[in-house]
Amino acid sequence: MNSTKESSLAALQREVLAFRNERDWKQFHSLRHLIVSLNLEASELLELTQWKSDAELEAAILGDDGAAHEALRDECADVLAYLLLIADAGNMDLAAALREKLEKNAQKYPVEKSRGSKEKYTQLK
């Protein structure tokens, strides 16, 4: 996708659905299969970190290693594509779902209790 195309989630979702539909792949995209595929793609994203320290990973991704950066971009794109397909199959507005979840998390993690803390909301004091 080039920078002149609309980059909203809805626009991206339309592009992913058009790509899928042109290939007649919807028949393979049950909600369960999409969720499994999302996890497989997330595992491929995780694999990029295998056997690397934080410093090594950041140097590879943020440094001169174009292949490492491209691999990160590709795996993130795959994860996003499956999330958009899951949102379609689940008949949900993913952006609205995230906004609602942020509101819930704001209640569980008030700034005054959670700033700088790694504790779960049930452990905040």
Side-chain angles (χ1 to χ4, degrees):
M1 186 174 98
N2 66 42
S3 61
T4 61
K5 289 189 177 181
E6 182 184 6
S7 62
S8 72
L9 281 179
L12 288 171
Q13 187 175 43
R14 286 190 297 273
E15 289 183 50
V16 169
L17 293 172
F19 181 91
R20 178 203 62 195
N21 293 341
E22 288 170 352
R23 289 153 182 81
D24 192 27
W25 288 348
K26 186 175 181 178
Q27 62 184 315
F28 308 115
H29 288 179
S30 70
L31 184 56
R32 183 180 65 81
H33 285 131
L34 292 170
I35 292 170
V36 168
S37 294
L38 171 69
N39 281 277
L40 293 171
E41 292 300 338
S43 294
E44 290 179 19
L45 181 61
L46 181 61
E47 187 177 25
L48 298 177
T49 70
Q50 189 175 27
W51 313 122
K52 292 179 180 71
S53 69
D54 288 348
E56 290 170 327
L57 180 64
E58 289 177 17
I61 299 299
L62 302 176
D64 293 337
D65 189 344
H69 191 259
E70 183 178 359
L72 177 67
R73 286 173 47 96
D74 286 350
E75 297 309 335
C76 287
D78 287 341
V79 167
L80 179 57
Y82 277 110
L83 277 175
L84 294 171
L85 289 167
I86 289 167
D88 177 68
N91 195 29
M92 75 179 86
D93 177 338
L94 199 53
L98 177 55
R99 286 185 192 97
E100 290 168 14
K101 182 63 176 178
L102 285 172
E103 288 178 20
K104 290 176 185 177
N105 284 346
Q107 296 298 313
K108 289 197 255 185
Y109 294 96
V111 173
E112 60 276 3
K113 290 184 177 182
S114 61
R115 180 180 292 279
S117 174
K118 62 181 178 175
E119 299 300 323
K120 187 173 178 174
Y121 68 94
T122 55
Q123 302 298 314
L124 291 173
K125 297 177 184 198

